[in-house]
Amino acid sequence: MCSERMDLCSERMDLCSERMDLCSERMDLCSERMDLCSERTDLCSERMDLCSERMDLCSERMDLCSERMDLCSERMDLCVHRSLRGERFRERFSRYREKSDKQADAMA
């Protein structure tokens, strides 16, 4: 009976040893996975930082574009104003020329 118990105990010990080995392997795998997760988290954090920087740059560019658009609008307004002044000048000059031509005809 003692011999049977010892055999059973020996079998149980062997099973426990196998289980412990499996647990050790699982723990190693878990540790590797945790390391990979940590690396991924670091990479994600770096990517998020880069994205944040890019968004800041885009925001600055958008502000610059908005300023440029405002300047272009002002320039266009000035061009229209100058064009209108030019037309008025041509009209006045044309009337002056007609008047001068009439005076010259009257004197002739």
Side-chain angles (χ1 to χ4, degrees), residues 8-64:
L8 280 174
C9 280
S10 177
E11 286 177 26
R12 284 184 182 164
M13 285 177 67
D14 289 342
L15 284 174
C16 281
S17 177
E18 287 177 25
R19 284 184 183 163
M20 285 176 65
D21 290 342
L22 284 174
C23 282
S24 178
E25 288 176 24
R26 285 184 183 164
M27 285 176 65
D28 290 343
L29 285 173
C30 282
S31 178
E32 288 175 24
R33 286 183 184 163
M34 285 176 65
D35 290 343
L36 286 174
C37 283
S38 178
E39 288 175 22
R40 286 182 184 161
T41 299
D42 292 344
L43 285 174
C44 283
S45 179
E46 288 175 21
R47 287 182 184 162
M48 285 177 63
D49 290 344
L50 286 174
C51 284
S52 178
E53 289 175 20
R54 286 181 184 159
M55 285 177 64
D56 290 343
L57 286 174
C58 283
S59 178
E60 289 176 20
R61 287 181 184 159
M62 286 176 64
D63 290 343
L64 286 173

